[in-house]
Amino acid sequence: MSARVKICGLSTGDTLAAALDAGADLVGFVHFPKSPRHLGWAEARVLAAAVRGRAERVVLLVDPDDAALAAAVESVAPDLIQLHGRESPERVAAIRRLTGRPVMKALGIGEAADLARVADYAAADRLLLDAKPPRGGDLPGGNGLAFDWSLLSGTALPRGWMLSGGLRPSTVAEALARTRAPAVDVSSGVETAPGVKDPGLIAAFIRAVRAGDAPGDVAAGLASAPRGV
């Protein structure tokens, strides 16, 4: 079974079309004012409507209050709400109840101890494993960093987990081969500048996944994964 692909941080009609035409399984819209990929609700509504059932719509929020959640559901009608802040397991469960939508919780990974939090987020429908942002950084994701994939060796991960952090067209096939991730997420890795997606890079990323993915049991084949990939 082919690994699923999410293109996140889309902000223009042209790049959304490029992602859809290339066969993205999920497309992500960011609502976080500090991000160069931020969309207001009016902009997000227009782009989300253009998806027309061709992919899953994901809205990325950071520590949203209830008003932001209501606006996200009304504007984007998301198939999945991605939480990329410091949301507690209890808040994740509350957001699922409040919105009636599946939730994906992003977890920053920098050392083996960070993986202990996986079990705490059983209320999430999916988990996204991303690199921790640089110390003092303003953005919880989209920083173009990868974490040490060998940390995943022997770790039991829930079905449908997603790998993110520092992936590019030139590295995603190796990432899939080493981690056997069932899904991958990219944002800055298909940009020419922060927030500026490139249609050619989007297409190249998806082609690389389709050509080189290897989903399966994450416990297999990770002992030799290099540090700082």
Side-chain angles (χ1 to χ4, degrees):
M1 182 178 178
S2 179
R4 306 190 78 213
V5 182
K6 174 172 172 276
I7 307 296
C8 194
L10 294 161
S11 59
T12 69
D14 288 347
T15 54
L16 174 60
L20 294 172
D21 291 345
D25 300 291
L26 306 94
V27 291
F29 308 115
V30 174
H31 184 81
F32 182 54
K34 291 183 179 181
S35 171
R37 304 161 189 92
H38 170 72
L39 290 175
W41 294 127
E43 300 167 289
R45 183 193 303 274
V46 171
L47 291 179
V51 177
R52 298 185 300 278
R54 297 173 62 188
E56 290 186 42
R57 293 180 289 203
V58 183
V59 62
L60 186 156
L61 304 171
V62 178
D63 298 310
D65 59 20
D66 290 356
L69 292 167
V73 171
E74 196 276 331
S75 301
V76 178
D79 298 291
L80 190 65
I81 296 173
Q82 179 175 335
L83 301 173
H84 223 107
R86 297 182 179 180
E87 300 88 1
S88 68
E90 294 76 18
R91 180 59 175 162
V92 169
I95 288 172
R96 289 184 79 252
R97 291 193 302 269
L98 181 65
T99 63
R101 305 293 170 120
V103 171
M104 177 164 66
K105 178 68 181 88
L107 297 180
I109 307 299
E111 57 187 353
D114 295 323
L115 290 165
R117 296 185 297 154
V118 166
D120 296 336
Y121 283 92
D125 297 274
R126 302 184 197 179
L127 290 181
L128 182 146
L129 303 185
D130 197 1
K132 277 187 170 179
R135 187 180 300 273
D138 288 333
L139 301 180
N143 292 292
L145 303 173
F147 65 90
D148 176 8
W149 300 332
S150 70
L151 294 173
L152 302 180
S153 181
T155 301
L157 294 172
R159 185 176 180 178
W161 71 278
M162 186 173 288
L163 178 68
S164 188
L167 299 178
R168 296 175 177 80
S170 60
T171 64
V172 68
E174 181 184 3
L176 286 166
R178 292 188 177 277
T179 68
R180 301 187 184 275
V184 290
D185 173 63
V186 67
S187 186
S188 61
V190 291
E191 294 180 346
T192 56
V196 182
K197 293 287 188 291
D198 181 271
L201 291 175
I202 291 171
F205 185 89
I206 295 175
R207 283 197 305 270
V209 172
R210 303 299 184 224
D213 59 28
D217 182 1
V218 71
L222 285 176
S224 61
R227 297 192 65 85
V229 173

